[in-house]
Amino acid sequence: AHIIVAMPPAEVASALSQFVMPDVEVVHSVSGSADLRRAADALERIDVYLAIIGRVPDLPASCAATCQQVWSVLDGFLAQFGHLASVADRACVAIRRGLVFFDEMAFAVAPSVLDRLSACFEASTASGYLWITGKVIEQFAGRSAEMDRAASSAFERESARLFSLLQSTPPTQVPDGGPGLFPLSRVSFSRCPPFSPPAFPARLSRRPAVLDDYTHLVLTLIDSAPSLIFLSPAFPSAFQSVLTALTLPSPRVVITALDAIRAVVGHDALEDPSSPFAAPIRAVVESTAQQSIPLLLDVLVGGGEDEPYNVLTILRLLSMQFPTLLATTVPPAIELLPVRAASQQEKADFLSRFGR
């Protein structure tokens, strides 16, 4: 790969094909679980090749057909084995590399990619599918009606699956993927830029990966395709899932959740009553206030160095856009704070100042 990347750009694609396409063929030839280790190794080699080579300017037009061919192989592979955690890890990283390498040529397969990702997440709840869904939407949202339909469908299906899971599973115990047929003993290059130290797969770390990646997906939609989230019937459940992330012991996940909440309560649409997003945002914020305000105050008094500043920003935005709501929800939420976080005298002093 290091030799190929040093070649003239016009020669990179053909040279890369000689090394990568045999690995694609290995994935294509998988016929049962006994072959999955070979397929996983092939996907990892593809990951390393593309991580080093990155995006190549002015790919030959013939690469468009190659992109569709490679996706056809991965699509069939995921349809059969995408419910396995070990497969999800390797496949999602390879797809991410492919999105970067093929760039605009990947647009033709993007709707199909989203459909497969959502189906695999429904079957496995592997966080990588949420991660790649966000990357596809970030890269191609708004480019066509078909693309937006696919993005909307993927978001709604993934949101429904996660919300349903959270009804029966504590947030800290949401499983990141289904069973694997072989141990993830190797270091994965997942989500690392080229040449950076690799990270262990999320499920081997303490990071609550599913809610983390879902919250990033929500942020991506707000930034890249607001109509697909604010006008979606899945928006209320999505916001509930983000609020649930505030209860996790991971500061990183909590900060991401606070960013998503701030993006909602501070959205420009709230300044424009004619915006089609204003009413759905107000409805969701008002309907969840009894839950969100106590959670925000818990983070405020119990968070680390960064979380309280984010909470204060959110409360300031709420005071501007929802003053009555804040006035009615903060006092009872203050009373719910544990004594170790605030004494009765401190609570009384705060409420006295808050009511002025």
Side-chain angles (χ1 to χ4, degrees):
H2 286 289
I3 293 171
I4 292 171
V5 79
M7 292 179 173
E11 300 176 17
V12 168
S14 60
L16 180 63
S17 178
Q18 294 179 45
F19 291 92
V20 170
M21 292 310 289
D23 286 322
V24 174
E25 182 56 36
V26 169
V27 177
H28 181 60
S29 65
V30 171
S31 59
S33 58
D35 299 325
L36 283 179
R37 169 61 78 180
R38 290 177 58 245
D41 290 345
L43 288 169
E44 194 163 19
R45 287 192 294 272
I46 293 171
D47 166 25
V48 175
Y49 275 120
L50 296 183
I52 292 170
I53 292 170
R55 181 174 286 121
V56 178
D58 302 320
L59 281 176
S62 60
C63 287
T66 303
C67 178
Q68 297 188 38
Q69 178 187 357
V70 172
W71 170 243
S72 177
V73 170
L74 287 176
D75 188 27
F77 179 67
L78 288 173
Q80 191 171 2
F81 302 108
H83 62 287
L84 300 173
S86 44
V87 167
D89 278 341
R90 303 293 200 272
C92 285
V93 177
I95 293 170
R96 175 59 182 143
R97 301 302 189 195
L99 287 171
V100 173
F101 178 77
F102 288 110
D103 197 21
E104 289 299 306
M105 291 180 179
F107 176 64
V109 300
S112 174
V113 172
L114 288 172
D115 182 62
R116 178 58 60 199
L117 293 173
S118 53
C120 286
F121 181 74
E122 288 174 325
S124 71
T125 69
S127 63
Y129 297 125
L130 298 172
W131 171 56
I132 296 298
T133 297
K135 295 300 181 183
V136 176
I137 291 173
E138 183 178 37
Q139 192 165 340
F140 296 122
R143 298 279 294 276
S144 72
E146 180 188 11
M147 177 63 206
D148 283 355
R149 284 194 296 271
S152 178
S153 175
F155 167 63
E156 290 174 6
R157 291 168 65 182
E158 291 169 358
S159 296
R161 180 69 178 95
L162 176 59
F163 189 69
S164 173
L165 187 62
L166 288 172
Q167 305 313 298
S168 58
T169 308
T172 55
Q173 297 176 25
V174 171
D176 184 8
L181 291 184
F182 50 86
L184 290 170
S185 57
R186 296 188 178 185
V187 173
S188 169
F189 291 83
S190 174
R191 308 178 202 192
C192 297
F195 314 118
S196 69
F200 282 100
R203 67 177 50 79
L204 299 183
S205 71
R206 295 180 179 273
R207 180 173 70 91
V210 176
L211 275 167
D212 187 16
D213 284 321
Y214 182 78
T215 304
H216 276 100
L217 172 60
V218 168
L219 272 170
T220 296
L221 281 158
I222 293 172
D223 291 340
S224 303
S227 64
L228 301 185
I229 181 169
F230 292 140
L231 302 182
S232 169
F235 178 40
S237 63
F239 194 72
Q240 286 275 2
S241 297
V242 170
L243 292 177
T244 300
L246 293 178
T247 67
L248 294 171
S250 167
R252 169 180 164 179
V253 179
V254 170
I255 288 173
T256 303
L258 291 171
D259 288 342
I261 294 167
R262 185 180 62 208
V264 172
V265 303
H267 199 274
D268 292 343
L270 292 172
E271 300 287 348
D272 179 11
S274 66
S275 169
F277 307 150
I281 291 174
R282 288 192 174 278
V284 164
V285 172
E286 291 170 357
S287 66
T288 58
Q290 298 293 334
Q291 176 188 4
S292 63
I293 298 302
L295 287 172
L296 289 169
L297 291 177
D298 281 344
V299 175
L300 179 65
V301 299
E305 294 183 2
D306 299 322
E307 297 95 313
Y309 295 102
N310 291 8
V311 172
L312 290 173
T313 299
I314 292 170
L315 293 176
R316 180 179 59 82
L317 291 168
L318 288 170
S319 70
M320 292 188 294
Q321 296 294 341
F322 303 88
T324 303
L325 182 69
L326 201 64
T328 57
T329 53
V330 166
I334 290 292
E335 293 297 340
L336 293 175
L337 290 173
V339 175
R340 59 178 171 76
S343 68
Q344 288 302 122
Q345 185 59 51
E346 288 171 329
K347 292 178 183 179
D349 291 345
F350 174 85
L351 290 174
S352 175
R353 296 194 301 271
F354 180 77
R356 291 174 186 170

